[in-house]
Amino acid sequence: MFEVSTEILLLLVLTGFVAGFVDAIAGGGGLITLPVIFMAGLDPITALATNKVQSVFGTASSALSYARGGHVDLREQAIPALVSLIAAFAGSLLITVLPTDFIRLLLPFLLISIALFFAFKKGLDDTSRQRRMSQGLLLVTLIPVVAGYDGLIGPGTGSFFMLGFVTLAGYGILKATAHTKFLNLASNFGSLLAFSLVATPLWATGLAMGVAQFIGAQFGAAVAQRIGAPVIKPLLVISSLSLAGKLIWDLF
């Protein structure tokens, strides 16, 4: 039934749970799952496609949890989600034809900058502030750019959405996290649709990981909503720095 051995499957399921918990709070779930998925001996495109299968469950779980908590208006976010889905779909289809080396070189430094911003910027809490960019402008700038990047490369998507929502939309940390998860769900789904056309994910394995991701994300979102910025900010900083470190290690 499953495409991998029992030992690898159990490791992947456990990894999915941990990734779901962390990702629901601060993002970076792919940093945890992708290296373990590669242990199954998959080529990069199949590994990315399988990762999208399970990550859809995690982001869906956390997005629903934040919506139930009243932190996201699903009707209001329908159009941004559609834009995110389409942009990620396009990004994933372009993954085999667009040069991504420059982005991969620049990405670690962007992530370090984001980590430093959230670590040292004073006054960042769960309180919303004055909006600096209209919803319409966000729809044609931040959302398609970040979602397209998610489909094309992926790592750090949550950090980029968070930075945009805090600095441009004026959201507090908890509200920014909630909206990040909802749009990340849409971009993950769009990317999965595209990968389904150009690759063959390990569907059974990905679904098993997805169930574990869903459960882990429920716990993570509950912790984030109970504590808010004091738990989200440190984990976001750690997640961004860890991802930057891994990317630099892979490069050099």
Side-chain angles (χ1 to χ4, degrees):
M1 178 179 180
F2 294 103
E3 304 92 340
V4 298
S5 67
T6 302
E7 293 80 6
I8 293 293
L9 179 65
L10 290 175
L11 178 60
L12 288 170
V13 168
L14 177 61
T15 302
F17 176 86
V18 174
F21 180 87
V22 173
D23 195 75
I25 300 174
L31 172 67
I32 299 171
T33 56
L34 265 178
V36 184
I37 290 175
F38 276 118
M39 291 176 60
L42 308 182
D43 63 89
I45 298 297
T46 302
L48 288 171
T50 302
N51 188 57
K52 287 299 180 183
V53 174
Q54 58 92 37
S55 64
V56 164
F57 284 80
T59 48
S61 175
S62 53
L64 289 172
S65 182
Y66 285 120
R68 286 198 302 265
H71 303 292
V72 178
D73 185 329
L74 297 182
R75 291 184 179 180
E76 183 181 297
Q77 291 302 304
I79 294 178
L82 180 61
V83 171
S84 182
L85 186 153
I86 294 171
F89 181 87
S92 292
L93 289 182
L94 293 172
I95 194 171
T96 58
V97 296
L98 286 183
T100 59
D101 290 344
F102 175 73
I103 300 176
R104 294 183 187 278
L105 286 171
L106 185 62
L107 183 57
F109 303 101
L110 292 176
L111 289 169
I112 291 171
S113 298
I114 291 172
L116 293 175
F117 172 83
F118 281 101
F120 297 108
K121 177 69 174 178
K122 295 182 179 180
L124 288 180
D125 52 28
D126 294 325
T127 304
S128 294
R129 292 167 178 79
Q130 182 177 359
R131 177 185 286 272
R132 296 182 178 178
M133 184 177 288
S134 68
Q135 178 79 341
L137 198 51
L138 287 173
L139 277 174
V140 297
T141 54
L142 173 73
I143 294 172
V145 168
V146 175
Y149 163 81
D150 187 28
L152 186 63
I153 298 179
T157 298
S159 298
F160 294 133
F161 268 136
M162 278 288 293
L163 180 65
F165 285 137
V166 169
T167 59
L168 301 177
Y171 293 167
I173 296 292
L174 181 57
K175 186 176 181 180
T177 302
H179 283 71
T180 290
K181 292 305 148 196
F182 191 68
L183 294 189
N184 205 180
L185 166 62
S187 66
N188 279 336
F189 189 70
S191 185
L192 176 59
L193 288 176
F195 277 130
S196 298
L197 299 177
V198 299
T200 305
L202 304 187
W203 288 106
T205 301
L207 290 172
M209 291 184 70
V211 172
Q213 269 255 24
F214 189 94
I215 297 170
Q218 286 289 299
F219 282 102
V223 170
Q225 291 178 83
R226 187 176 301 116
I227 302 176
V231 69
I232 296 172
K233 282 178 60 178
L235 273 180
L236 179 62
V237 171
I238 292 170
S239 174
S240 297
L241 289 177
S242 299
L243 181 52
K246 182 182 184 302
L247 291 170
I248 292 172
W249 175 268
D250 290 343
L251 286 170
F252 300 106

